[in-house]
Amino acid sequence: MLKSITTLLAGVAFTVNAIAQEPVWDGNTVILESQKVSDGIYAVIPSDASEKAGNGYPIATSGGFVIGENSVLVIESMINERLAEQMISLVKAETDKPIKYLVNTSYHGDHSYGNYVFPSSVSIIQHESAKDYVDNYFEQDTAFMISNFGEGRGIEDVIPKTGDILVPKNGSISIDLGGKTVDIDDFGFAQTGGDLFVSVKGENILWTGNPVVSTKPALPWLLDGHLLETLATMKYVYGAINESTLVIPGHGPITNRSAIKWHIDYLTALKNKVEKAIARGLSLEETVEKVQLPKYQGYALHGWVHSGLNVPAAYKELSSSKVK
């Protein structure tokens, strides 16, 4: 799985690079801000997230932190030292309690490269697949990120730092901060095969990481394929939360479960249309041309994500399923 991700990323790098200057975000200019969502619980959102989300533009990483009676847990370390320091400063602005835990919802550099900036006393929580990926593919991953986010964005300075506490496949852990318990779950394949969802026990708040990219019209990215598993996982997550749950996506403003439903509806429509194309005997190229899904256009990366990534991934998986 890890090797296939690297191969796929290398294959699409030239496509992303063509649009890397605009509107892809710049780690040297992003400003993070904290937004209180409950007592001691904060989302950390790029300051331009709401504006960009409405226009379908890519947005920098969203995260957050939870303050307990004894310590603090941070969600996401961001892409570079500059943004990791911003995250730490936002925590210090709210409390003098120590940061004890740091969660990476995936191995992706914009969620985990800043790990090395945090004090050595901070325990990093990752999925075991995330640690395996960084241990084996760090050089390739940083080269990919530099090619698409640009040189001089602090990526060259990143020192790999992986998990101290590992969540196993389909596993979960709970962290007691004193008066607040944070649950960290692998609900199943959602994008990378190592994505973690973060919630606070007794609170209707959920950090989704990349499986929910942002609000409409952003689309899910089938980076490693697995359309059917991803769809099943998203349906499970949607059913496990209620209408009042605040959802903090991987790259967007605070929203609600309607953003999850948008992702589910898109994946369902993608599945249905590609299945019909396969049943008609269409080739991959014909399927990409035929399956446009105009209802789900509007995302600035639509051409690459939908036509260049998702349709081919769905075609490959569903064709294989048909043969079996």
Side-chain angles (χ1 to χ4, degrees), residues 2 16-17 24 63 79 82 92 106 110 116 146 152 173 182 241 264 283 295 314:
L2 298 176
V16 183
N17 193 53
V24 174
I79 196 170
R82 175 181 177 273
K92 289 181 177 180
S106 77
D110 51 314
Y116 78 102
I146 290 169
I173 62 172
V182 179
I241 63 177
I264 291 171
S283 67
K295 177 181 176 181

Side-chain angles (χ1 to χ4, degrees), residues 201-244:
K201 197 175 296 294
E203 301 276 358
N204 288 324
I205 301 165
L206 178 69
W207 283 266
T208 68
N210 286 335
V212 180
V213 177
S214 186
T215 55
K216 176 181 178 180
L219 299 177
W221 297 24
L222 298 179
L223 280 173
D224 198 36
H226 300 267
L227 165 66
L228 299 178
E229 288 181 83
T230 299
L231 182 54
T233 298
M234 299 314 295
K235 287 181 176 179
Y236 172 81
V237 172
Y238 182 79
I241 63 177
N242 59 45
E243 293 180 356
S244 64

